[in-house]
Amino acid sequence: MLNPADAAFAQRLATLLPEGTLAPAEPRYLEEPRRRAVTPQALLARPRETAEVARIVSACAQARVGLIPWGGGTGLVLGQVQPEGPAPVILSLERMNRLRGLWPEENLMIVEAGMTLAEVQAAADGAGRLFPLSLASEGTARIGGNLATNAGGTAVLRYGNARELCLGVEAVLPDGSVLNGLTRLRKDNTGYDLKDLLIGSEGTLGVITAATLRLFPQPAATATALLAVIGPEAALELLTLAQIRTGGAVTTFELIHAQGLLFLDEAMPELRQPFADRPDWSVLIEIGLAPGLDPEVVMTGLYEAAEAGSLVRDGVIAQSGAQARALWDLREALPEGNRRIGAVVSHDISLPLSEIAEFLRRAGPVIAAIGPFRVNCFGHLGDGNLHYNVFPPKGGRAADHRDKAGSIQRAVHDLVHALGGSVSAEHGIGRLKTRDLEAYGDPAKLAAMRAIKAALDPAGIMNPGAVLAP
């Protein structure tokens, strides 16, 4: 059993820290973006240095007080809120936002966990390099949280998830000890890779305080287009064609269903759309090019080859940075359109690429058998990640169909699991999907996870209730 972060504990902890580190938690630290749950009460800690984090974690371990690491609060699976249980300490890394070092010749940088993703990107750009992790929430999300959740985003196809972009971490472990793992080495086979254990652990095994990140050369030019495809199978063939023609230079390949565009018509009519008739399926493709290649020539050649292969029926090729930005604005508006319509239930799933078309063929009738719902399917087709979201009939309210949400989710997740997919592609487990992990996770993997958790955090103070069900 854990104890609350009450006034007596706060008073003891304050003696270990600089003045102003502790405060009552404001509402923004207690909520999550979709307003499904809140932390009723918590003590807020905002340290400025790793040593202060270590003192906070050590004090929590000794007093058996729960601790929730907090980055930017943008997570979507309730990993940053604790609706039940004794009041925890919310440990915000926002003040730990320094750039510790940048080596352009090594394509590396060391950053503290409180830097926002946008700040990390800007620092890399200032050195003529690219940090390719890209999310809609990059102005708010912090790099420590991105690593703790192994964030994905729109460039995974070419550069990988957050895990692939990190060489090392500094972290405070559940007993307050500091793991000094900020290596700049690309080859270091000296035992277990604890970095990869902490990345994706969602704050349940330690607090990431800094990281060594990989950088890349900036593309000399970028080609961007929105192409109306014949269907999901044609979209996948187009991806293969694009990779072959560009030598694997496709950075982004986003699938968009007509329902998402119709939602934008309904909820955001001021947003300009490039196709007068909304195509059933379209893809937003972006290609990062080497010097000497003309973006328009590359994309036009791809479109003509795809048209000859009966893969596309229409397309818009960006002629400028502003036109490319307009196409991205359309893609990035899809989640906001969804929010304004109001989903009955949302799914963050991934599938083997060759199973995606089969999933879409089978999922539609499964949902229709439950009720007359609308489905908006969009996402990162290039890496197999779909956001398969279910909405009420036009004119209906999501709240009137909440009793069907569980049935819809089980049906979708059962189908995903049967086709070799995952019920959490990029958002993580948090507290929202712990039962899903129990239902669909490999038993041996779950047993190993519990053993690791018990070994590193025997008191269970680190983000209690997240990832592994109590």
Side-chain angles (χ1 to χ4, degrees):
M1 294 294 293
L2 296 177
N3 298 312
D6 55 18
F9 174 78
Q11 189 172 13
R12 293 196 304 273
L13 184 58
T15 64
L16 306 175
L17 300 167
E19 186 176 354
T21 303
L22 302 181
E26 302 169 19
R28 68 188 181 98
Y29 296 101
L30 305 175
E31 301 167 346
E32 56 88 32
R34 293 179 176 171
R35 302 186 184 279
R36 293 163 299 183
V38 298
T39 304
Q41 187 177 0
L43 174 65
L44 175 66
R46 295 190 297 166
R48 289 183 171 86
E49 298 179 351
T50 300
E52 295 172 13
V53 177
R55 288 186 215 122
I56 294 167
V57 175
S58 179
C60 287
Q62 293 174 25
R64 300 181 71 90
V65 169
L67 184 149
I68 300 176
W70 197 89
T74 60
L76 299 175
V77 289
L78 311 188
Q80 72 277 56
V81 291
Q82 182 182 298
E84 300 175 349
V89 170
I90 292 178
L91 195 154
S92 169
L93 281 299
E94 64 193 294
R95 289 176 169 173
M96 293 185 60
N97 56 5
R98 292 178 290 272
L99 173 65
R100 293 192 186 177
L102 197 157
W103 298 265
E105 69 280 6
E106 298 180 26
N107 282 316
L108 295 176
M109 66 193 304
I110 294 180
V111 303
E112 291 187 338
M115 287 185 72
T116 66
L117 177 53
E119 290 170 340
V120 173
Q121 294 167 342
D125 184 68
R129 295 295 184 269
L130 171 71
F131 183 67
L133 185 64
S134 181
L135 312 169
S137 59
E138 58 198 30
T140 307
R142 301 183 187 276
I143 193 65
N146 296 149
L147 291 168
T149 57
N150 190 28
T154 59
V156 172
L157 172 62
R158 185 168 184 178
Y159 297 104
N161 290 312
R163 176 175 279 116
E164 282 75 43
L165 301 175
C166 181
L167 278 188
V169 298
E170 174 189 88
V172 177
L173 300 179
D175 63 353
S177 60
V178 178
L179 172 68
N180 296 296
L182 292 175
T183 181
R184 286 158 54 193
L185 302 176
R186 294 174 186 270
K187 285 188 174 182
D188 181 12
N189 284 335
T190 54
Y192 302 141
D193 193 338
L194 300 182
K195 157 186 67 72
D196 277 351
L197 189 62
L198 289 165
I199 294 174
S201 67
E202 302 185 42
T204 62
L205 301 178
V207 182
I208 295 173
T209 52
T212 308
L213 303 177
R214 296 175 62 204
L215 305 178
F216 297 83
Q218 294 178 337
T222 300
T224 306
L226 185 66
L227 306 179
V229 294
I230 304 303
E233 299 97 331
L236 289 166
E237 290 183 48
L238 175 61
L239 173 60
T240 300
L241 178 65
Q243 293 283 47
I244 292 171
R245 289 179 64 92
T246 65
V250 179
T251 302
T252 298
F253 200 83
E254 299 285 295
L255 184 69
I256 301 172
H257 184 248
Q259 187 63 71
L261 302 179
L262 294 173
F263 280 168
L264 294 180
D265 286 335
E266 187 176 340
M268 303 170 68
E270 71 282 0
L271 189 64
R272 186 176 178 182
Q273 297 201 34
F275 298 120
D277 296 322
R278 311 302 183 230
D280 288 342
W281 294 99
S282 55
V283 295
L284 176 64
I285 180 171
E286 187 165 277
I287 304 170
L289 300 174
L293 297 176
D294 183 284
E296 186 177 352
V297 171
V298 170
M299 195 63 82
T300 299
L302 174 61
Y303 179 84
E304 290 173 351
E307 187 178 42
S310 300
L311 303 180
V312 299
R313 56 166 54 103
D314 200 355
V316 176
I317 299 174
Q319 304 295 309
S320 66
Q323 290 182 9
R325 183 65 258 170
L327 295 179
W328 271 107
D329 287 344
L330 183 70
R331 163 60 182 88
E332 291 173 354
L334 293 174
E336 177 60 19
N338 285 352
R339 188 190 67 80
R340 295 188 188 186
I341 297 297
V344 176
V345 63
S346 301
H347 307 92
D348 167 44
I349 58 175
S350 61
L351 292 142
L353 293 185
S354 60
E355 299 291 354
I356 287 176
E358 178 66 11
F359 167 79
L360 293 172
R361 274 193 295 270
R362 292 167 60 178
V366 166
I367 301 300
I370 299 173
F373 298 104
R374 295 178 291 176
V375 174
N376 181 19
C377 176
F378 69 101
H380 321 303
L381 184 64
D383 57 48
N385 179 191
L386 299 178
H387 300 298
Y388 193 84
N389 303 334
V390 181
F391 296 81
K394 189 167 185 178
R397 298 187 313 141
D400 296 334
H401 302 274
R402 294 295 184 210
D403 60 325
K404 301 286 180 59
S407 298
I408 295 170
Q409 189 167 76
R410 280 191 299 274
V412 171
H413 285 174
D414 284 350
L415 180 55
V416 168
H417 184 66
L419 293 173
S422 169
V423 300
S424 183
E426 63 179 358
H427 293 166
I429 298 298
R431 291 169 180 79
L432 185 65
K433 293 188 175 183
T434 55
R435 297 303 176 189
D436 291 322
L437 181 60
E438 294 285 338
Y440 301 105
D442 175 70
K445 175 183 176 179
L446 289 170
M449 288 173 62
R450 291 190 182 281
I452 292 167
K453 173 71 171 174
L456 291 181
D457 184 20
I461 66 165
M462 299 302 303
N463 212 359
V467 182
L468 292 168

